[in-house]
Amino acid sequence: SAEAALREAKKSSRKSFFFYNNELHQKLLMRLNTENELQSALYNHQFVLYYQPQVDACSGTLIGVEALVRWKHPERGIVPPSGFISVAEETGMIRDIGWWVLDEACRQMKKWQERGPLKVPISVNLSFNQFHDDSLVKRVCFALEASGLQPEYLELEITESTMAEDLERSIRRLKEIRALGVGVSLDDFGTGYSSLSYLKSLPINQLKIDRSFVLDIAQSNQDQAIVTAIVSMAEHLWIDVIVEGIETKEQLRAIESCRCRAIQGYYYSRPLAENDFSDKYLA
Ligand code: C2E
Ligand code: MG
Ligand code: MG
Ligand code: MG
């Protein structure tokens, strides 16, 4: 990959020509370019949030919103996270971007709540770097205070891999977050290596079943069995379950037969720009 090439090149600039070819060279330049542009993107207000509704499939009501960052690039247009998050993570810039996301999401939700009845939490994704940053709790408090948003309307999404390295430390961190009254959701659930037994020790509110279980769920008895098992296990642990990546009616039917009601996916809505979200849910 281009990143591997860059690492090699940094390690030994003399050897790097070994696997240089034109295509790699182009990728490398693109990456360096992205890195440079990212530096100024925050300062130039080029990040925006999109908002994807989370819905109760039975009643059709809104139960939450996930904030998803986009880079409004002056030439490249709207760049999704896949186009910059890995570079931002490697360079550490993800932290500043992430803190901006946290502030902005809280500010926006409070603004919406002042306009109309929107009594659902907004979910913010936390990177590994943010979750383990000693200033996390302070930052969350600040975001809540600055916006005036009540803590019950904020939910932080973290992945299993974020906690894998040091589970005890992560549990302490989760408890600090929960003590603020803020929710925690375990994102991309089922894609990590972790055993299920650790779930009972995690102070989380919600599991987000990963899209990979949904892709073939309409045809796959195995996937249905897995999702059903996750749902009933979560029920016994008093943890909510939501499924992400529902695109079709068939997937929705299959998921409902697994007794899962909370849904996020293109079938209901793609992530929406601020105005589109307001038009749809605050009209
Ligand atoms: P995620 O947190 O698992 O977010 C869900 C992703 O799945 C989003 O992609 C969303 O647009 C997409 N999605 C939702 N429903 C469907 C569907 O029905 N079909 C398909 N194919 N995709 C669906 P997005 O916005 O491109 O974000 C990708 C990932 O980037 C996120 O995955 C999250 O890990 C990361 N990310 C996004 N925003 C932030 C952020 O503010 N901070 C951090 N640290 N990471 C972020
Ligand atoms: Mg929720
Ligand atoms: Mg997420
Ligand atoms: Mg996810």
Side-chain angles (χ1 to χ4, degrees):
S1 72
E3 278 117 57
L6 182 70
R7 271 199 300 278
E8 268 310 309
K10 275 182 178 161
K11 242 194 297 181
S12 135
S13 48
R14 271 171 303 139
K15 275 193 207 149
S16 61
F17 65 87
F18 259 102
F19 44 87
Y20 250 56
N21 59 39
N22 226 353
E23 196 191 331
L24 259 182
H25 188 72
Q26 287 304 322
K27 276 192 188 156
L28 203 55
L29 283 179
M30 266 268 279
R31 192 201 180 283
L32 287 170
N33 197 26
T34 300
E35 195 174 322
N36 285 332
E37 290 182 328
L38 265 183
Q39 303 270 15
S40 54
L42 201 54
Y43 181 79
N44 289 329
H45 309 290
Q46 288 173 359
F47 292 108
V48 288
L49 295 185
Y50 272 49
Y51 303 91
Q52 190 175 30
Q54 302 173 336
V55 176
D56 179 308
C58 294
S59 61
T61 51
L62 189 75
I63 54 172
V65 187
E66 181 172 12
L68 296 156
V69 70
R70 302 285 181 264
W71 181 8
K72 243 183 179 166
H73 191 280
E75 287 116 41
R76 284 152 69 192
I78 302 275
V79 183
S82 56
F84 64 93
I85 287 277
S86 65
V87 178
E89 263 164 5
E90 282 168 46
T91 54
M93 280 181 270
I94 188 68
R95 247 182 268 206
D96 286 335
I97 299 170
W99 300 137
W100 175 84
V101 171
L102 178 65
D103 289 341
E104 177 68 9
C106 292
R107 190 195 63 77
Q108 182 63 65
M109 187 43 110
K110 180 67 185 180
K111 197 172 130 194
W112 278 331
Q113 290 186 337
E114 279 168 352
R115 270 184 55 185
L118 198 63
K119 296 216 166 302
V120 298
I122 188 154
S123 298
V124 173
N125 293 284
L126 284 191
S127 66
F128 179 96
N129 282 314
Q130 287 178 284
F131 182 73
H132 293 288
D133 192 317
D134 286 331
S135 70
L136 173 69
V137 171
K138 230 171 48 194
R139 302 267 187 180
V140 173
C141 288
F142 177 82
L144 293 170
E145 272 165 34
S147 62
L149 187 72
Q150 288 171 278
E152 67 207 88
Y153 295 118
L154 177 63
E155 199 167 87
L156 301 175
E157 294 195 2
I158 51 169
T159 61
E160 293 168 272
S161 57
T162 291
M163 296 185 294
E165 224 166 73
D166 190 340
L167 194 57
E168 272 178 47
R169 180 196 152 101
S170 298
I171 290 172
R172 284 201 300 276
R173 183 47 50 98
L174 291 175
K175 284 180 178 158
E176 290 175 331
I177 297 171
R178 294 298 304 282
L180 300 174
V182 170
V184 176
S185 182
L186 198 53
D187 204 354
D188 304 341
F189 182 74
T191 59
Y193 304 99
S194 16
S195 75
L196 291 181
S197 63
Y198 86 142
L199 265 183
K200 69 172 195 287
S201 57
L202 290 183
I204 55 170
N205 312 77
Q206 181 178 262
L207 291 180
K208 281 189 101 167
I209 299 180
D210 190 67
R211 196 169 82 84
S212 54
F213 294 103
V214 172
L215 275 175
D216 303 317
I217 194 145
Q219 295 82 250
S220 161
N221 290 331
Q222 279 106 323
D223 283 340
Q224 284 174 30
I226 292 170
V227 172
T228 306
I230 295 174
V231 169
S232 88
M233 176 192 64
E235 211 167 65
H236 285 100
L237 295 169
W238 296 93
I239 298 170
D240 290 337
V241 174
I242 184 166
V243 179
E244 59 184 348
I246 304 290
E247 293 182 0
T248 68
K249 198 174 210 128
E250 290 71 35
Q251 290 171 336
L252 179 67
R253 293 286 163 264
I255 280 295
E256 282 178 325
S257 76
C258 303
R259 294 193 310 112
C260 185
R261 300 172 54 151
I263 302 294
Q264 181 179 343
Y266 294 171
Y267 179 73
Y268 278 107
S269 171
R270 292 191 169 251
L272 302 170
E274 178 198 336
N275 287 336
D276 294 330
F277 190 91
S278 313
D279 289 349
K280 206 162 160 189
Y281 292 99
L282 284 144

